[in-house]
Amino acid sequence: MKDIRNFVIISHIDHGKSTLADRFLEITNTIPRNKIRPQYLDMMDLERERGITIKMHPCRLSYKKHGQEYILNLIDTPGHIDFSYEVSRALAAVEGAVLLVDATQGIQAQTIFNLEMAQKQGLVIIPVINKIDLPQAQTTETKKQIANVLKRDANEVLEISAKKGINIDKLIDLIITKIPGPDGINELNKPLRCLVFDSKYDSFKGVIVYVRVLEGKIENGEEIYCLTSKVKSKNKQVGTFSPELMPAKEIKAGEIGYIATGIKEIEKIRIGETITTLRDFKLLGQKIMPLSGYKEPKPFVFLTVYPEKSKDFDLLKSALSQLKLNDASLFYQLEKKPIFGRGFLCGFLGLLHAEIVIERLKREFKIELVISAPNVVYKVILTNKKEEIVYSSFDWPDPAIISETLEPKVFLEVMTSLKYLSRISELIKQRGGTAIETTSLGQDRLILRTEIPLREIITDFYEKLKSLSQGFASMNYQLSEYGRIDLVKVNFLINNKEEMSLAMILPKAKAEREARNFLIKLKTVIPRQIFSVALQAKIDGKIIARETISSFRRDVIAPLYGGDYTRKRKLLEKQKKGKMKKKSLGQIRIPAKAFLDAMRTT
Ligand SMILES: Nc1nc2c(ncn2[C@@H]2O[C@H](COP(=O)(O)OP(=O)(O)OP(=O)(O)O)[C@@H](O)[C@H]2O)c(=O)[nH]1
Ligand SMILES: [Mg+2]
């Protein structure tokens, strides 16, 4: 089994992971050269349109060296912080990680975050510096930064260009020599234990689980048993990733592959499940210990999703459960206060995540949706001392019985260089960050640490940070505690009709300004009508801001907001503008994405 190498490629967003994966596909002839399109593994339409990886992508490669054949199981991972749960799960399926750093950007926040996760998992790290072909590459500097962080010699950092294919063979040599093969041949004779690290639904084959086989083996058609959910089933197929599903006779210890479980009851399969064979289970029962699985991710942002047509409720329910199979970081539950008929409260790891899920629901399941404004989770202490958790503005209690309001805070880390320190500190202060601490990482690299309200950073903070620093700043955050703040509910009216889905919870001190900004944004995302439309914001029964959309003129195209988290302007420009579906809300047609866009740029 020495000839197998399982590894992930990890990095900050855009540092070139998927481009490097292309070179691996090419050099190993997994995909013929003339068939490779850039970022080949990014197969979802959404990934291609946005130029970012959203899902992890496993692929099995075979490589020959000095007459010896190796199986290289690669998993490409996303770099954006909203998809870090994908990275963490991929790490548990491999022995090594290629840590990629863009030579023009240096070490960034997710470089460190992903590296630390990989180190905790005990993986062998291969440090690699990418994009050395670019004239602005700061190869020596960046190498020093990496050496510093890893406490290794700078000479150990391999220089490559994923785009130009420079030094890819050297990287493969390092992967083969440095990353250990999976545990010994003895594991093969043990009862089957495999870890489910991803899954998807197939209407013929049932739930398809992506597994790392740790011990034993499983043959095509054999009966399986899930140790946690206690479900059994006869598998419909086993195989590996080519990167498409490639059926095999069996998959065995040390390998990464899939099992088409034949199970149709989606809720019975969870990420992190341990699968064995029914035969082994009958023989050994409780002696087969479940693997430790995964920690559930904690959602940061919540919004409520309703089907536009109430008859689509069951469709939405089944869509969410199928999507959850393929996106383990998605949280959803039935909305307890069904204001627009029945809907679901959904939790996400960030606004980009929310946007992707809404878009996938529309595209993959063809459901038209009405969504509420996104919120963080607030807490309200009532006059009777009871505490209420507020997931959406619908839950906001009557102001007369509110005694105290609290909001979640996060520990924020911003990585940048000295040049931008004062501007970034200023931004952090404006957004309510306190006690900014600065640590030097050497080579002009700094980390700023602060505590800041979560709601301040899920909107446009990241984009502001990027523009202040000309792209040379990145961030990461973790939930800390709740802090006191005076909050109010702002209602919005369109043509004098209150639109509950637009209502927002805002800090009292900022409510008026933010509500006004939101109306201005709303004005740009609501398509013009044949009549003029009044937009108003109201707090405690008092109108505090007003905007008017004048009536329709022929040549007007409402400007759309690209949701540009990716900084891939070119790609976004290519996106077909104006194709967004319009949502019906009262008599006015509003693009569903408008809420997210307007919220983000408020
Ligand atoms: N010049 C140059 N450009 C590169 C190189 N590697 C990647 N790129 C470019 O960098 C951009 C990002 O590349 P991707 O491969 O999508 O980056 P990624 O790390 O997979 O991004 P995410 O999956 O979204 O985190 C693309 O425009 C690539 O063409 C390189 O070696 N040289
Ligand atoms: Mg990628």
Side-chain angles (χ1 to χ4, degrees), residues 398-400 488-491 508 538-544:
D398 178 353
V488 289
K489 179 172 168 179
V490 184
N491 289 305
K508 195 170 181 180
K538 197 161 119 181
I539 299 176
D540 279 346
K542 206 175 108 203
I543 302 290
I544 53 148

Side-chain angles (χ1 to χ4, degrees), residues 14 16-19 39 42 51-54 57 76-79 568:
D14 266 1
K17 298 174 290 298
S18 304
T19 307
Q39 291 94 34
D42 288 344
I52 53 167
T53 303
I54 292 165
H57 299 293
D76 182 19
T77 65
K568 296 188 177 176

Side-chain angles (χ1 to χ4, degrees), residues 11-20 39 42 51-53 76-80 130-134 160-164 568:
S11 82
H12 192 74
I13 189 166
D14 266 1
H15 284 201
K17 298 174 290 298
S18 304
T19 307
L20 175 59
Q39 291 94 34
D42 288 344
I52 53 167
T53 303
D76 182 19
T77 65
H80 194 283
N130 187 30
K131 309 198 188 179
I132 56 160
D133 58 297
L134 288 173
I160 68 160
S161 164
K163 194 162 179 177
K164 296 269 154 72
K568 296 188 177 176

Side-chain angles (χ1 to χ4, degrees), residues 304 306 335 337 339-340 372-373 375 390-397 489 500-503 505:
T304 315
Y306 297 90
E335 170 63 49
K337 294 189 180 154
I339 288 181
F340 303 106
S372 70
N375 256 316
V390 178
Y391 288 99
S392 77
S393 57
F394 310 145
D395 304 335
W396 197 249
K489 179 172 168 179
M500 286 191 188
S501 69
L502 294 182
I505 312 295

Side-chain angles (χ1 to χ4, degrees), residues 73-87:
N73 285 311
L74 156 161
I75 307 182
D76 182 19
T77 65
H80 194 283
I81 181 174
D82 281 17
F83 309 117
S84 60
Y85 194 55
E86 293 285 316
V87 186

Side-chain angles (χ1 to χ4, degrees), residues 6 112 260 322 401:
N6 299 312
I112 303 279
Q322 285 183 39
I401 57 162

